[in-house]
Amino acid sequence: MPEYRLRFTEQEDDESRQRTLDELHTFIAAMDGRPLAVVTLDQEQSALWDQEGDIDYQDVYGRQIVEQVTDGITETLVIRNCDGLPVVLAALDGDSGWRGIGIDKRLRFEIATTMQNDETEFN
C-alpha cells in the first residue's frame, strides 16, 4: 500500500480558523479535476472516528479506505461521516503516497458547503 499520512486541522482563534480554512480551500483546489473517490462512513464508524482512546480509528479507517481506493486511477479522496460531512481530504502525492488532511468538527459543515458547489462531483 502507498504511504498514507494524515495531519489535523486546528482552529484556536479567528486568525487560526481563517488560516485553516485557507489551507483547506487550497487543498480542495489542488484536488480539482483529478479522479475522485468519495467514501461515506457508516454510523458506527462515524461515531468511532471522532472518539479518542487507545485505538486511532482515523488512522485505521483511513488506511483501510486508501488501500481500497488505490486502483491506479483514483488520485483524490473525500471521506465523509454518516451525515455527509467531510472528515478527511486526501490526495495521491506522486511517489510519496497519499497525504491527507483531517477536518476539525467545527469546520466540516463549511467545507461540505464549499465542496457541494459542484454537486455532480460530490454526490
Side-chain angles (χ1 to χ4, degrees), residues 44-90:
E44 180 183 2
Q45 292 167 326
S46 294
L48 292 172
W49 185 270
D50 291 318
Q51 201 173 64
E52 292 188 26
D54 294 335
I55 299 173
D56 183 350
Y57 286 103
Q58 294 176 357
D59 185 59
V60 171
Y61 292 149
R63 288 181 183 280
Q64 290 173 356
I65 292 167
V66 163
E67 189 172 329
Q68 291 172 13
V69 302
T70 300
D71 58 6
I73 298 169
T74 302
E75 296 179 12
T76 60
L77 170 66
V78 176
I79 301 174
R80 302 185 305 188
N81 64 17
C82 62
D83 297 320
L85 298 176
V87 296
V88 168
L89 305 176

Side-chain angles (χ1 to χ4, degrees), residues 6 14 20-21 25 33-34 38 44 48 50 53 60-61 68 73 78 80 85-86 92 97 101 109 111 120-121 123:
L6 176 65
D14 286 342
T20 299
L21 282 171
H25 287 273
R34 297 173 68 190
V38 178
E44 180 183 2
L48 292 172
D50 291 318
V60 171
Y61 292 149
Q68 291 172 13
I73 298 169
V78 176
R80 302 185 305 188
L85 298 176
L92 193 55
I101 184 167
F109 183 79
I111 295 302
T120 60
E121 189 170 6
N123 273 338

